[in-house]
């Protein structure tokens, strides 16, 4: 762990292991933080925030963030390999999705360091006043990173916090800590002052809980499950710390009869099968027009059979393993639940034989809104499909899209741009794509409605979430 510029083991001496999901073999032993370690990391972050970091000018913060981005790019092959081994991401995706994503995030966020601004206001009170509003850094931030995209998500959290002038205690998920450890090494190499970036590794129930409840943490930024998000909200009550949460999803994809199926079918398939479905915004529910349903489902099923499932270091592999044996049990349990509730397995549905935590890309059809597989986040390569009638209007389709507790993302495929906009306006989702797919762009706010979280990351809203407003009025009379 990194505390105030010093690498150290856990005070207790305890460790945990991380493994390669493709083989089940142990990769490394990692320090397991407890309250003592968290206290030390928060104290280091506080000292840096109130000391040297507060005197660093915005352009220098931008330079340091850009330097970190350059170092990630220069060490991209090593970081991609680390991410592939620890997360189970196929190597062909790790270089652009993880390394490229991290570099892009930091370079975008660096630009905000010199562009955060307050404002002056005219008051209606008697007399003559000079009134202005300052935007100041919120302070010490605990940033808890998920296991599915640890490098890119750590960078996406670090960038806006550092641009705003905050200091950070990072905690990667216990399943995938290795790339974040290397990222923090590079932050030291980039020249950030001691204590500005700190790292504690450990379990969510110990290190994560201690950070969320800590009285000297000003903000918690968390990406992960809705269950854990609720626990963080409860823990934040200790000192009313600011909280931003990017949580679960059960995102719908709508394919209309007039859609460009040559684009829509592969997009819908990769929208759920990429990263073995372990994506918060994965398009896990498919609503397809009756007229083209057979063609669409056959196309997606064909891709599920064709996509190579295998070891992550094989450059031909498209779908890697789930992150752990526990996740494999969860996903296969949901597939069995779907069967028992009446869904039909069109393709897949089984664990892949051999070492590692692999499950076949799966399409479930004849699903109903009451089924667990349609309501709950599976976080695996499992698509739940149902048909809709061309007579259904935007109101009816929006009800289908909004039927879960989540509201993170949605996709719409149609040439009827009027219908696309009507449906988009009625869907309670934070991100909606029309006739296109793609990854996260750092310029766009990311977050969701309902149980998909609080607040937004990325874009202007994301960096402003690391600031507080202070109103100052001077009586000039």
């Amino acid at each position: 762990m990194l505390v105030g510029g010093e690498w150290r083991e856990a005070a207790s001496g305890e460790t945990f292991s991380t493994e390669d999901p493709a083989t089940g073999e142990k990769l490394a032993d990692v320090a397991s933080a407890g309250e003592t370690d968290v206290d030390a990391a928060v104290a280091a972050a506080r000292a840096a925030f109130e000391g040297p970091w507060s005197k660093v000018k915005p352009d220098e913060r931008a330079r340091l963030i850009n330097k970190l981005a350059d170092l990630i790019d220069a060490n991209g092959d090593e970081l991609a390999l680390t991410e592939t081994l620890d997360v189970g991401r196929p190597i062909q995706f790790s270089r652009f999705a993880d390394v490229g994503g991290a570099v892009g995030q930091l370079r975008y966020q660096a630009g905000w360091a010199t562009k955060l601004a307050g404002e002056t206001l005219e008051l209606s009170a008697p007399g003559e006043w000079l009134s202005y509003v300052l935007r100041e850094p919120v302070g010490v931030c605990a940033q808890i990173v998920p296991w599915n995209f640890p490098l890119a998500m750590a960078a996406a959290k670090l960038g806006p916090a550092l641009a705003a002038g905050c200091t950070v205690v990072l905690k990667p998920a216990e399943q995938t800590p290795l790339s974040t450890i290397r990222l923090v090494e590079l932050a030291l190499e980039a020249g950030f002052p001691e204590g500005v970036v700190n790292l504690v590794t450990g379990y969510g129930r110990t290190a994560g809980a201690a950070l969320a409840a800590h009285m000297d943490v000003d903000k918690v930024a968390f990406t992960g499950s809705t269950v854990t998000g609720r626990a963080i909200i409860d823990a934040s009550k200790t000192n009313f710390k600011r909280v931003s949460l990017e949580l679960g999803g059960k995102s719908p994809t709508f394919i209309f009869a007039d859609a460009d199926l040559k684009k829509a079918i592969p997009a819908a398939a990769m929208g759920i099968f990429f990263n073995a479905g372990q994506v918060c915004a994965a398009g896990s529910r498919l609503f397809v027009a009756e007229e083209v349903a057979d063609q669409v489902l056959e196309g997606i099923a064909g891709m599920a059979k064709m996509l190579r499932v295998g070891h992550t270091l094989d450059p031909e592999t498209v779908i890697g393993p789930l992150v752990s044996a526990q996740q494999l049990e969860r996903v296969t349990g949901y597939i069995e639940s779907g069967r028992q509730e009446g869904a039909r397995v069109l393709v897949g549905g089984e664990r892949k034989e051999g070492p590692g935590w692999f499950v076949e890309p799966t399409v479930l059809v004849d699903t109903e809104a009451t089924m667990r597989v349609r309501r709950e986040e599976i976080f695996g390569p499992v698509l739940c499909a149902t048909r809709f009638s061309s007579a259904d209007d935007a109101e009816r389709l929006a009800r289908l899209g909004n039927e879960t507790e989540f509201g993170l993302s949605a996709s719409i495929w149609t040439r009827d741009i009027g219908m696309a906009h009507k449906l988009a306006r009625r869907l309670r989702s934070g991100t909606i794509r029309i006739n296109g797919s793609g990854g996260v762009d750092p310029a766009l706010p990311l977050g969701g409605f309902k149980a998909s979280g609080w607040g937004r990351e990325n874009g202007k809203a994301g960096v402003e979430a690391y600031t507080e407003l202070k109103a100052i009025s001077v009586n000039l009379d």
Side-chain angles (χ1 to χ4, degrees):
M1 295 179 288
L2 181 70
V3 177
E6 175 190 348
W7 290 100
R8 60 171 71 179
E9 302 299 324
S12 65
E14 294 180 4
T15 62
F16 63 94
S17 61
T18 183
E19 62 188 22
D20 180 350
T23 64
E25 297 176 358
K26 186 171 80 169
L27 294 171
D29 291 311
V30 183
S32 183
E35 280 193 37
T36 300
D37 305 296
V38 169
D39 287 345
V42 172
R46 176 62 62 191
F49 177 72
E50 296 180 354
W53 191 235
S54 66
K55 299 176 178 61
V56 174
K57 297 296 184 181
D59 63 340
E60 177 64 7
R61 297 201 302 269
R63 188 192 69 78
L64 290 168
I65 298 168
N66 275 316
K67 176 65 173 176
L68 177 56
D70 292 343
L71 288 170
I72 293 170
D73 197 28
N75 291 273
D77 290 340
E78 175 199 353
L79 284 162
L81 178 60
T82 302
E83 201 80 330
T84 286
L85 292 175
D86 205 18
V87 179
R89 184 113 60 249
I91 190 66
Q92 66 165 303
F93 299 122
S94 293
R95 192 59 168 87
F96 77 85
D98 299 284
V99 175
V103 171
Q105 281 282 356
L106 289 171
R107 287 180 175 160
Y108 172 83
Q109 301 294 352
W112 276 111
T114 56
K115 297 171 183 65
L116 287 170
E119 59 182 340
T120 59
L121 299 168
E122 288 292 328
L123 299 189
S124 298
E128 188 171 351
W129 295 83
L130 170 64
S131 294
Y132 58 98
V133 177
L134 297 179
R135 190 174 287 280
E136 298 183 344
V138 70
V140 174
C141 301
Q143 300 186 317
I144 303 175
V145 180
W147 50 257
N148 57 340
F149 291 93
L151 178 63
M153 291 302 300
K157 284 178 164 46
L158 269 180
L162 297 173
C166 298
T167 56
V168 169
V169 180
L170 268 177
K171 195 205 87 66
E174 59 266 27
Q175 297 92 337
T176 57
L178 298 185
S179 63
T180 310
I181 295 173
R182 184 68 178 117
L183 172 66
V184 172
E185 286 183 340
L186 295 176
L188 275 185
E189 186 178 337
F192 285 95
E194 293 180 357
V196 172
V197 179
N198 303 274
L199 172 74
V200 293
T201 51
Y203 292 101
R205 64 179 180 270
T206 51
L211 279 170
H214 204 286
M215 293 294 291
D216 208 24
V217 168
D218 300 301
K219 176 182 170 68
V220 175
F222 169 76
T223 299
S225 74
T226 299
V227 171
T228 303
R230 289 190 174 101
I232 287 174
I233 292 170
D234 287 339
S236 70
K237 296 174 184 176
T238 54
N239 62 340
F240 293 94
K241 57 176 61 67
R242 303 322 185 222
V243 176
S244 58
L245 304 170
E246 201 268 283
L247 306 176
K250 193 70 176 174
S251 300
T253 296
F254 294 89
I255 299 180
F256 287 77
D258 65 349
D260 183 345
L261 299 185
K262 290 182 180 179
K263 294 180 179 179
I265 289 172
M270 291 308 293
I272 184 61
F273 298 145
F274 171 69
N275 201 42
Q278 299 169 122
V279 181
C280 57
S284 53
R285 291 182 295 147
L286 173 65
F287 299 102
V288 57
E290 182 69 47
E291 297 91 328
V292 295
D294 289 342
Q295 182 181 352
V296 168
L297 291 171
E298 287 171 9
I300 294 174
M303 287 194 66
K305 295 174 184 176
M306 178 188 69
L307 296 173
R308 185 182 181 92
V309 180
H311 195 282
T312 51
L313 294 180
D314 183 341
E316 301 299 318
T317 292
V318 177
I319 300 178
L322 299 172
V323 74
S324 64
Q326 180 183 12
Q327 187 67 8
L328 176 66
E329 182 179 352
R330 171 188 170 88
V331 172
T332 54
Y334 268 108
I335 295 171
E336 182 57 32
S337 168
R339 285 191 176 106
Q340 292 178 3
E341 290 188 294
R344 178 167 60 89
V345 178
L346 181 64
V347 67
E350 303 295 335
R351 176 180 178 176
K352 186 175 181 287
E353 294 300 322
W357 319 126
F358 294 88
V359 67
E360 296 173 339
T362 300
V363 177
L364 301 178
V365 296
D366 304 327
T367 64
E368 301 290 341
T370 55
M371 296 178 180
R372 289 182 61 217
V373 290
R374 270 267 293 273
R375 292 185 291 108
E376 300 176 15
E377 185 176 41
I378 299 172
F379 224 62
V382 182
L383 179 65
C384 300
T386 194
R387 302 167 186 240
F388 67 83
S389 167
S390 58
D392 290 336
D393 60 11
E395 297 287 348
R396 156 72 176 157
L397 296 175
R399 284 196 294 272
L400 290 175
N402 295 333
E403 68 189 6
T404 77
E405 67 172 328
F406 301 107
L408 187 58
S409 181
S411 295
I412 301 169
W413 292 87
T414 178
R415 288 184 171 91
D416 184 343
I417 202 65
M419 169 59 82
H421 281 291
K422 287 179 181 178
L423 180 54
R425 294 185 70 159
R426 288 163 173 79
L427 290 171
R428 292 183 57 76
S429 297
T431 297
I432 298 174
R433 288 188 173 88
I434 298 172
N435 295 335
S437 59
V440 173
D441 192 296
L444 287 173
L446 175 68
F449 289 47
K450 302 185 289 185
S452 287
W454 279 1
R456 295 294 184 268
E457 295 189 320
N458 298 347
K460 182 180 180 183
V463 70
E464 287 183 346
Y466 286 92
T467 66
E468 292 276 24
L469 294 176
K470 178 185 289 182
I472 299 174
S473 297
V474 182
N475 189 337
L476 300 180
D477 291 334

